[in-house]
Amino acid sequence: MAPRLALRLRLASSVLFAAAAGATGALLSLAVFDAVPGTPGVVGGLVALLAPASGAVAALALRLLGGVGTFVATAVLLILGAATSTGTDPAEYLPAWAAPLASVLPSGVAVQGLRDAVYFAGDEVLRAVVVLALWSVVPFLVIAAVDAVARRRP
């Protein structure tokens, strides 16, 4: 259904999903499971940025690759992203080729930003916000460009 929607509706649904994911993530991790000693703003904010970052990449993969894009996005974001996020194991346990992915894939960036905000001085939180914002915006810009080119073709 999503590829048939106008880009502005896809963006609006992404923003709504981000807000819901951030609120739910903060509620579950702080109040229900007491899993993170952070504040609702930090936890909710990073989860709210992670949601559209992942969604935008999935939307781009779907736009460029069709139905196969769902599988590609799942493999990259969920399987590879979760495995390299350093949420459960330190980066030192990752193979040499996978270690750099922790600092660029959305899930790893969010984990590092949250870890820095909660346990350290918070110096890397801005980097996490910028990287997640780029993951949220750039794929939609590419989709807009691809859609514009497609409209120009006879």
Side-chain angles (χ1 to χ4, degrees):
M1 179 74 178
R4 290 184 229 134
L5 294 176
L7 183 58
R8 62 181 161 67
L9 292 176
R10 286 184 269 174
L11 288 169
S13 67
S14 181
V15 169
L16 288 173
F17 176 70
T24 304
L27 176 69
L28 289 175
S29 63
L30 296 171
V32 175
F33 296 112
D34 195 26
V36 180
T39 64
V42 170
V43 174
L46 285 170
V47 172
L49 285 172
L50 176 60
S54 300
V57 173
L60 177 60
L62 186 62
R63 177 65 178 92
L64 295 178
L65 303 173
V68 174
T70 303
F71 297 107
V72 171
T74 300
V76 172
L77 296 173
L78 188 62
I79 297 170
L80 195 57
T84 61
S85 71
T86 70
T88 56
D89 294 320
E92 293 79 24
Y93 290 168
L94 294 173
W97 64 268
L101 297 177
S103 62
V104 294
L105 289 178
S107 55
V109 171
V111 166
Q112 290 174 356
L114 181 60
R115 186 181 295 129
D116 190 66
V118 171
Y119 298 112
F120 301 107
D123 297 335
E124 292 296 314
V125 175
L126 179 60
R127 179 193 175 280
V129 168
V130 169
V131 172
L132 290 171
L134 287 171
W135 276 107
S136 299
V137 172
V138 171
F140 281 119
L141 293 175
V142 174
I143 291 170
V146 169
D147 288 351
V149 168
R151 280 192 300 273
R152 289 187 188 144
R153 289 188 184 158

